[in-house]
Amino acid sequence: MASEEELFASVDALLSEEPQLPPPAERARLREAAGVTQARLATALKTTTQSVKNWENGRSEPKSPRLDAYQRLLNGWAAKYPDRDSASAAAPVPAAFAAPAASEVETTDALPDRAVPVAQPARPGTRAGATSRRPTATKTARPAVDPRFEHGPLAVLDGDGCAYGVGGIVLDCPATTVPELVEWTLRESGLGASKLHRNGKDSDPLIVLTAAAAVKLGLPERLEGHEQRRSLRLPEDHPVVKQVVSAKWQLTQRGFGPWARIYRKAQGTERQCVQLAILSWDALDERSWPGVAQMEPADIARVLGVYAQRVITPRGSTAVSGLELMTALRPPTRAVRDEASGNWVSGHNPGSLGTDPMDPAPPEATPEHPVVVNSGWSGGFLNEEAYQWVRDVSLLADEECTLPYAVGLDLNTAFLAAAARLVVGLSAPDHFHAPTFNPKIPGSWLVDLSDVELDPRLPSPFTPEGTRPTGPAWYQTHTVAYAQELGYNVRPLEAYLRRETGAYLDPWHDRLKTAYVDTLADLGVTKDLDDRRFLAAMERHKEADPALAAVLAAIKATVKGGIGKLRERPQGKRYKKGERWPALQRPTWRPDIRAAVISKARVNMHRKLTNMARMTGLFPLAVLSDCVVYPSPGPSPLDFLPYAASGKPQPGGFRLGPTPGLAKLEGVQSMLWAVDLMEKGYNPARHIKGGDAVLDEGE
């Protein structure tokens, strides 16, 4: 039982919290309902009319003592003038499992037929614009400028004190130490970005340091001595770290590494945080940002600026940024009115994953997860992974072997396409025995699919290796639903299902899809091209603008990395099985959502493979994730893809195009080359783009 001192300490902590104001639009509504002008309110609160305007459009927030007085006034008006339109429009929570709309969250008490619940334990101020030099026009269209962040989301700092921003601007930065740089960024630079959701937070400004800038600020040009890039960081006794601490700034638990976040505790609603990225410490991974680290500062600013405007201000690796984008578009909290006090407080934002981490069901976890280790679970795990399949050479027909070419098709951002309108679980899993399968309920099902008979020239849709299941195994809902679609009567033995569901990834999908399509269009690959012109445009798109080609690569890496981060594994040699690792503290550690995306992507691939066999009689040689290799009479996809008499692509098969889920040419080799690799046990889909690349043993 808590002591009196502990209770009083908890109460005092609540009393010391900053008051929560209603959303800006509600503030304006209440003032107008009371018949008070902005000028009159400004006089009452002894401030300016412009300040009141800023409070009502979200550009700034009042500070105590005005904050307390303003909240008291709003609470009084709220009691007199309730928002009746909003109250009448509120809909009751649905009471049945069903696929919700993109912005909906669904709750149900309806259980699958013959389901027996199994008892589960409880789960635990205005900135002055900096001087700008050499303004130039940018090739990329820019959105409306937020007056608080007039110089864009980021800048690249060189050793001469020039900070290159988006749109070609150059700012004078006088800082000679890291604390001075942080102060300049927050007080004078005009850098930052508006929040992506009205309930979210503004993006912290990003300063990218060249090698010369890092040295000028007292940082080493390179960090050495660590086996893993993620372990790079300055020691705590380094002079720059001491400077940061002495200036009353803080570093996150990751310390001062390639992506350093320097902050102070927020005052009211105003964040005080600056993100640093150090180029010479490999902040920009070459695999995600090809060639960017070697560009001139102005070009780096252009690449990162376009990415920031279309995706999000980079906050680390593209994988980290992909995960952060999910939260930025689905903030975990929003301002809600407390019925008891009438005050506005922080509450759960429907459709989000909330603020508390959630343990997965045992079959959804990884073998080292505490849920598995502590329970002694031995019932198997989900194996929802992307395809890695090669057809048995003995199943190649003579007429296939005599075709001259092997042509690889790659699906554009297949995982992103799978995330569209994908209903996932938002609440904790419940355990059921012998449930009736329902394709609308996201979760994990123990089912025996070993009796499903399919053409051996196609991979099985139920395993990533493409081999036929040998007995009961755990599958995500989409995989089981596909077996049902193929005409089989599925009878789950067990299931872990979620009552509250929603299309959590929809805004993430929409933003990344738009970024991908718009960037390809800037590179000359537009939706209006016919298939022949599309293939020609794809051949030269990387040479059209290397900077935008790097943005495109980063967008694709953001998709794959963001999905991968949903099941981040423990890192470091000191980790012991059964211990909780840092990623588990995130509400976005959700292996079940990752499994849902991959399951749907694999099922989508198999459906296309089946339709292609039906329409053309062609069967794939190999599949690797989103790449498939076909035997072909010619060196182009146009030589074997199905087209109607009108010249239009046949629906259901692979189609060429620039949007997620459509295909592009991955590579072309001889059929003899492909068969040779297959006989040696290699996957042609892995190497068809690189041709005669050196093959490592044990691929």
Side-chain angles (χ1 to χ4, degrees), residues 74-160:
L74 293 175
N75 288 343
W77 281 343
K80 287 185 177 181
Y81 313 109
D83 189 356
R84 302 189 185 281
D85 292 340
S86 174
S88 63
V93 177
F97 282 115
S103 60
E104 292 178 340
V105 181
E106 191 167 316
T107 309
T108 182
D109 290 325
L111 304 180
D113 295 341
R114 295 185 284 111
V116 182
V118 177
Q120 297 289 318
R123 291 177 172 81
T126 304
R127 300 172 183 155
T131 303
S132 173
R133 295 188 281 122
R134 197 173 56 79
T136 60
T138 179
K139 290 174 63 177
T140 304
R142 297 177 62 187
V145 176
D146 187 320
R148 297 172 300 158
F149 311 122
E150 58 181 330
H151 292 138
L154 55 90
V156 181
L157 183 64
D158 69 9
D160 296 325

Side-chain angles (χ1 to χ4, degrees), residues 271-353:
R271 288 169 60 83
Q272 298 185 86
C273 183
V274 173
Q275 180 84 59
L276 301 182
I278 305 170
L279 293 175
S280 58
W281 296 4
D282 299 325
L284 299 181
D285 191 327
E286 179 69 17
R287 294 167 297 180
S288 302
W289 302 96
V292 177
Q294 289 75 45
M295 293 180 180
E296 293 298 318
D299 295 322
I300 297 173
R302 179 173 174 241
V303 171
L304 298 181
V306 172
Y307 180 89
Q309 291 162 1
R310 294 184 175 179
V311 182
I312 192 172
T313 303
R315 303 184 184 185
S317 67
T318 48
V320 169
S321 296
L323 200 66
E324 293 277 359
L325 181 63
M326 295 180 195
T327 304
L329 294 171
R330 291 279 198 190
T333 61
R334 64 172 181 169
V336 297
R337 189 187 302 281
D338 179 62
E339 295 183 359
S341 65
N343 292 334
W344 289 88
V345 297
S346 179
H348 175 66
N349 186 28
S352 76
L353 298 181

Side-chain angles (χ1 to χ4, degrees), residues 327-540:
T327 304
L329 294 171
R330 291 279 198 190
T333 61
R334 64 172 181 169
V336 297
R337 189 187 302 281
D338 179 62
E339 295 183 359
S341 65
N343 292 334
W344 289 88
V345 297
S346 179
H348 175 66
N349 186 28
S352 76
L353 298 181
T355 57
D356 298 323
M358 183 184 302
D359 279 341
E364 297 167 348
T366 56
E368 67 272 14
H369 195 286
V371 163
V372 174
V373 176
N374 295 338
S375 66
W377 173 261
S378 59
F381 300 95
L382 282 176
N383 189 24
E384 299 288 9
E385 302 293 341
Y387 269 133
Q388 296 190 55
W389 172 82
V390 180
R391 200 199 318 175
D392 191 322
V393 178
S394 65
L395 297 176
L396 289 175
D398 292 340
E399 55 268 27
E400 289 180 305
C401 293
T402 57
L403 290 173
Y405 295 100
V407 177
L409 292 176
D410 179 72
L411 296 184
N412 301 321
T413 56
F415 291 156
L416 184 62
R421 295 172 293 282
L422 175 67
V423 178
V424 299
L426 301 179
S427 55
D430 289 325
H431 192 187
F432 302 95
H433 282 301
T436 297
F437 178 68
N438 187 332
K440 294 182 179 180
I441 306 178
S444 304
W445 309 78
L446 181 63
V447 191
D448 188 350
L449 299 178
S450 60
D451 60 340
V452 178
E453 292 283 352
L454 296 172
D455 193 310
R457 293 171 292 180
L458 291 175
S460 167
F462 310 128
T463 65
E465 300 83 13
T467 55
R468 183 172 177 171
T470 58
W474 289 95
Y475 302 98
Q476 202 276 335
T477 297
H478 281 87
T479 304
V480 184
Y482 188 57
Q484 193 175 66
E485 178 184 322
L486 293 173
Y488 289 85
N489 183 23
V490 294
R491 297 179 179 177
L493 306 174
E494 284 184 71
Y496 285 90
L497 310 176
R498 288 167 169 81
R499 298 175 183 274
E500 189 177 333
T501 66
Y504 172 72
L505 292 175
D506 256 14
W508 185 81
H509 162 271
D510 294 347
R511 186 168 178 85
L512 285 169
K513 177 184 177 181
T514 300
Y516 180 82
V517 172
D518 287 353
T519 306
L520 259 183
D522 287 343
L523 290 167
V525 187
T526 56
K527 295 180 180 179
D528 59 342
L529 299 176
D530 61 33
D531 285 359
R532 194 172 301 276
R533 293 164 60 206
F534 166 75
L535 291 172
M538 286 299 298
E539 278 188 16
R540 58 180 182 266

Side-chain angles (χ1 to χ4, degrees), residues 140-297:
T140 304
R142 297 177 62 187
V145 176
D146 187 320
R148 297 172 300 158
F149 311 122
E150 58 181 330
H151 292 138
L154 55 90
V156 181
L157 183 64
D158 69 9
D160 296 325
C162 296
Y164 296 81
V166 299
I169 65 170
V170 184
L171 308 176
D172 290 314
C173 176
T176 58
T177 66
V178 170
E180 288 177 0
L181 175 61
V182 172
E183 292 285 354
W184 174 83
T185 303
L186 291 174
R187 312 302 172 204
E188 301 178 43
S189 71
L191 296 173
S194 303
K195 55 193 175 185
L196 299 180
H197 187 281
R198 62 190 180 90
N199 293 321
K201 299 175 182 177
D202 295 329
S203 288
D204 301 320
L206 168 64
I207 301 294
V208 181
L209 303 181
T210 62
V215 171
K216 180 181 177 180
L217 294 171
L219 297 167
E221 183 175 345
R222 303 286 305 179
L223 277 184
E224 307 291 349
H226 295 280
E227 296 180 4
Q228 294 180 318
R229 176 178 168 273
R230 66 173 66 95
S231 300
L232 290 172
R233 67 186 66 189
L234 288 179
E236 294 183 2
D237 59 353
H238 190 278
V240 171
V241 176
K242 289 183 177 180
Q243 288 176 0
V244 171
V245 174
S246 296
K248 308 299 183 184
W249 291 98
Q250 299 180 55
L251 293 165
T252 61
Q253 290 183 351
R254 287 194 173 274
F256 206 120
W259 289 88
R261 190 168 293 182
I262 302 174
Y263 71 99
R264 282 179 183 154
K265 185 177 180 181
Q267 296 180 355
T269 58
E270 184 178 353
R271 288 169 60 83
Q272 298 185 86
C273 183
V274 173
Q275 180 84 59
L276 301 182
I278 305 170
L279 293 175
S280 58
W281 296 4
D282 299 325
L284 299 181
D285 191 327
E286 179 69 17
R287 294 167 297 180
S288 302
W289 302 96
V292 177
Q294 289 75 45
M295 293 180 180
E296 293 298 318

